[in-house]
Amino acid sequence: MAEQPLLKDEADERAVLRRAWPYLRPHRARLGVALGVGLADSAALVAVAPLIGLAANSLNSGDRGGLGLAVALLAVLAIAQLVLARVGELLLIKGGESVVRTLREQAVENLATAPLRFLETHRSGELLRRATGEVAALAAFVRMHLRNLVSSVATLAFTLVVLAGYSWLLLLVQLAVFLPLTLLVTRWFQRDAASAFGGKATAEATVAATFSETLTAREALQTSRGLAGWTRRFDRENRHAVHAARRALRVENRIDLVSLIEGAALVVLLLVGGWLVTRDSVSVGTVVVFVVASRNLFDSFADISQLVGEVQTARTGLARLLDLLAATTPERRPARAEGLPARGDLRCTAVDFGYRAEGLDLHGLTLDFPEGSRTGVVGETGSGKTTLSKLLCGLYRPDGGAVTFAGTDLADIPEEQLRRRIVLVPQEVRLVSGTIADNLALVQGAPDRARIEKTVDELGLREWLEDLPGGLDAEVGQRGGNLSAGERQILGVVRAVLADPAVLVLDEATADIDPVTAARLEHALDELRSDCTLVVIAHRPATIARLPRVVRLDGGRLAGDETAGGSRGSGTPAGLEVRG
């Protein structure tokens, strides 16, 4: 079996910004301007302390001119900071939201084109959490915390520079008391932060996945009386999520110890500063600058400390999202398969495929489906029919051999060209909320109403459509709940025919529908254009009887074929070859 990229429960948080840079690069100009305005805002805030120090010295020496100048500059600075703070906040939020939008769109695009085997390997709730929940958390961080983070870091850096210019001795004393203890507390937080916040995100994703599966399997759980056992499982996972959230909160609360350290540092600053003033080593204004700027210093540390938890949550969410994007990045294919005809033969050559590493589910299949042919595929449950259908459509990649269309490997055909030529109608047709016309328009080219009605007529389904209340304007309901299983299958076939594929593959399209609806569907298939290759996987005898050729699978191997001209049993018919 080909190795599938698996998402780890705890994402790799190393070099997160470097990994995110490709998504930041298109917005670097906007982010650069926002950061520049933010830095100017922080510089204006830090400049307040030196001006207050100037006013204190002027007052102490009786210099009214200096005092007036300091007050005037403070007034100008206050207005400038107010404007810069508002503009910087708006610019930073807009820039951050642009990045979040890019990540959101990329996640949706990647999941829409991700290999089917990857999607089947992971629980839908886990993928949903990473693609929507993590993006929502990043958006909330951008709106509420990003500006404070940038402002706090810049203010801290500018304050240290200003204080060093006034008195390196007082700065060293203050840092000697404040910095080591703060670093110890921060280190204590960081030691357990990744596992705590990562564990919280994983536990919440597990709860979301189980809840999503509960909605999907609700009928089976109710009818089989398995709801009680499933509820116990949900309760167990929910308790684990609560425990993980409490652990993350305990780790986050460690940062609050920084407030106690701030108080101790300020007391030491006043004692040492007063002593230096009595010795004429520094002026009163310098001590005032330190007292005022220390507020900036401590507030910055406090804000950063309070934001550490939010930053860690955002960092974890970003890492989980980047892991998803990395695992689902589409393989590079040629922009266009030159010379690929609109119609052609479909062929499997010595195809091997396995869901598990220890064995194969399909063994060396070599099959030809000539252009315009009509073929049925039959076999017992587990014989490999559905697997073959997904290989024929390029939804699975074979572990050995190749599947080709018109001589070109499906892996080398760009997704757009491949989906235009080969279409699968699965046993369970997916519909979206809206009308029948809305669902039929979900094909390449978005066919208009006239084309939809023409296709319905060509397939002989006008009477069926008119029997529906509202016709094309009938509401299908949530997940197509207003329609029967057979009606959903008919919509799936009509939608596939609107795509005008070269190859149409139907997987058990008539398995769970009533005879009347099945007859309508079979008649519609008879009306397909003659150059459309049709591959029908079915158990229904009436469906198989309408096909001129039948391929039989047994245990993932070709067991034989039956044609209108006679049966060859397990022999090798024309156009078919058994390998392995």
Side-chain angles (χ1 to χ4, degrees):
M1 184 187 92
E3 290 295 326
Q4 294 299 301
L6 294 177
L7 297 174
K8 297 180 180 179
D9 288 340
E10 295 186 6
D12 184 4
E13 298 185 21
R14 294 173 297 179
V16 169
L17 290 179
R18 180 175 57 81
R19 292 165 56 199
W21 176 243
Y23 307 102
L24 297 174
R25 187 183 296 115
H27 311 283
R28 59 184 182 275
R30 174 178 289 183
L31 291 174
V33 172
L35 289 174
V37 174
L39 292 176
D41 172 36
S42 298
L45 177 63
V46 173
V48 170
L51 288 178
I52 292 177
L54 174 62
N57 283 334
S58 299
L59 187 62
N60 190 43
S61 62
D63 183 3
R64 292 186 176 183
L67 179 61
L69 177 63
V71 171
L73 290 175
L74 279 171
V76 172
L77 202 60
I79 296 173
Q81 191 202 357
L82 183 64
V83 174
L84 289 171
R86 182 58 178 165
V87 173
E89 182 179 12
L90 291 176
L91 290 176
L92 202 55
I93 289 177
K94 287 182 179 180
E97 288 284 3
S98 298
V99 175
V100 171
R101 177 184 175 183
T102 298
L103 291 170
R104 182 186 293 112
E105 292 176 347
Q106 191 65 55
V108 172
E109 180 181 343
N110 281 20
L111 284 177
T113 57
L116 185 60
R117 292 174 81 173
F118 173 84
L119 298 177
E120 292 175 341
T121 302
H122 297 85
R123 301 174 73 182
S124 58
E126 167 69 13
L127 297 178
L128 184 65
R129 169 74 183 184
R130 293 193 186 227
T132 59
E134 309 300 5
V135 172
L138 286 172
F141 177 80
V142 166
R143 295 188 194 104
M144 296 185 291
H145 304 299
L146 182 58
R147 188 259 177 186
N148 290 338
L149 178 64
V150 172
S151 176
S152 299
V153 172
T155 300
L156 177 62
F158 290 153
T159 300
L160 290 173
V161 172
V162 168
L163 293 182
Y166 271 86
S167 173
W168 62 267
L169 180 58
L170 275 179
L171 178 60
L172 287 179
V173 170
Q174 195 168 30
L175 292 181
V177 176
F178 179 73
L179 198 57
L181 295 176
T182 301
L183 291 178
L184 284 175
V185 171
T186 304
R187 179 67 176 173
W188 186 32
F189 168 84
Q190 291 178 339
R191 186 186 65 189
D192 299 320
S195 61
F197 287 94
K200 175 187 173 185
T202 300
E204 290 175 348
T206 300
V207 170
T210 300
F211 183 74
S212 176
E213 291 173 356
T214 302
L215 297 178
T216 303
R218 62 190 184 281
E219 293 183 5
L221 291 173
Q222 291 172 350
T223 56
S224 65
R225 297 185 178 181
L227 191 57
W230 188 265
T231 301
R232 286 193 296 272
R233 170 183 170 180
F234 184 80
D235 288 342
R236 184 171 60 253
E237 293 176 349
N238 198 29
R239 286 194 300 271
H240 178 66
V242 171
H243 174 75
R246 288 175 176 172
R247 179 172 179 253
L249 184 60
R250 287 195 300 270
V251 172
E252 185 175 355
N253 286 340
R254 296 174 184 176
I255 293 298
D256 292 340
L257 293 175
V258 173
S259 299
L260 296 176
I261 302 172
E262 291 174 5
L266 188 57
V267 170
V268 173
L269 171 66
L270 290 173
L271 292 174
V272 176
W275 177 70
L276 290 175
V277 168
T278 61
R279 298 189 50 166
D280 293 329
S281 297
V282 297
S283 66
V284 173
T286 297
V287 176
V288 170
V289 169
F290 265 83
V291 171
V292 175
S294 292
R295 191 68 270 156
N296 291 339
L297 189 69
F298 296 151
D299 285 348
S300 297
F301 268 112
D303 290 342
I304 294 173
S305 299
Q306 294 297 325
L307 289 171
V308 163
E310 302 296 338
V311 171
Q312 183 61 48
T313 299
R315 186 168 180 253
T316 299
L318 180 59
R320 285 167 56 83
L321 179 59
L322 291 174
D323 278 3
L324 174 65
L325 294 177
T328 56
T329 298
E331 296 181 9
R332 289 191 176 182
R333 295 188 180 190
R336 184 173 181 83
E338 297 296 336
L340 186 70
R343 310 277 164 174
D345 296 344
L346 185 65
R347 178 177 174 82
C348 299
T349 305
V351 168
D352 293 327
F353 182 87
Y355 291 98
R356 297 163 298 277
E358 60 270 16
L360 294 176
D361 294 273
L362 290 181
H363 306 264
L365 284 183
T366 296
L367 296 168
D368 274 335
F369 299 95
E371 178 184 342
S373 63
R374 303 288 195 269
T375 305
V377 180
V378 299
E380 296 180 356
T381 300
S383 60
K385 304 185 301 299
T386 296
T387 301
L388 176 62
S389 72
K390 293 176 180 177
L391 285 163
L392 293 177
C393 297
L395 296 176
Y396 286 164
R397 296 282 184 88
D399 296 326
V403 181
T404 60
F405 174 81
T408 302
D409 195 316
L410 298 190
D412 297 328
I413 301 177
E415 191 77 16
E416 181 180 355
Q417 289 182 280
L418 178 60
R419 298 296 158 233
R420 188 183 300 138
R421 287 162 174 77
I422 306 176
V423 173
L424 169 68
V425 180
Q427 184 173 353
E428 185 177 352
V429 175
R430 302 291 183 180
L431 301 179
V432 299
S433 298
T435 65
I436 287 178
D438 294 335
N439 280 273
L440 292 179
L442 296 177
V443 296
Q444 194 170 34
D448 58 20
R449 196 178 186 91
R451 184 181 166 199
I452 291 174
E453 291 185 344
K454 179 182 177 182
T455 302
V456 169
D457 289 335
E458 290 174 348
L459 295 176
L461 295 172
R462 171 60 63 179
E463 181 181 354
W464 165 79
L465 183 62
E466 292 178 347
D467 288 341
L468 296 175
L472 287 176
D473 296 319
E475 291 287 335
V476 303
Q478 187 176 4
R479 299 189 183 93
N482 293 346
L483 304 178
S484 68
E487 288 168 337
R488 291 194 292 270
Q489 283 293 342
I490 290 176
L491 280 185
V493 170
V494 176
R495 189 161 59 189
V497 173
L498 282 167
D500 190 24
V503 180
L504 179 59
V505 182
L506 278 73
D507 183 10
E508 301 285 9
T510 61
D512 300 321
I513 60 179
D514 62 272
V516 174
T517 306
R520 280 176 169 163
L521 187 57
E522 291 158 359
H523 175 72
L525 295 178
D526 291 340
E527 301 302 319
L528 289 176
R529 53 187 290 176
S530 60
D531 59 351
C532 177
T533 304
L534 180 63
V535 180
V536 179
I537 296 171
H539 282 109
R540 180 178 162 84
T543 303
I544 296 299
R546 305 173 78 98
L547 299 169
R549 175 186 173 202
V550 177
V551 171
R552 188 176 303 278
L553 298 181
D554 183 15
R557 291 183 169 84
L558 184 64
D561 88 291
E562 299 171 2
T563 65
S567 173
R568 292 184 176 86
S570 60
T572 305
L576 287 136
E577 181 183 355
V578 184
R579 300 277 180 88

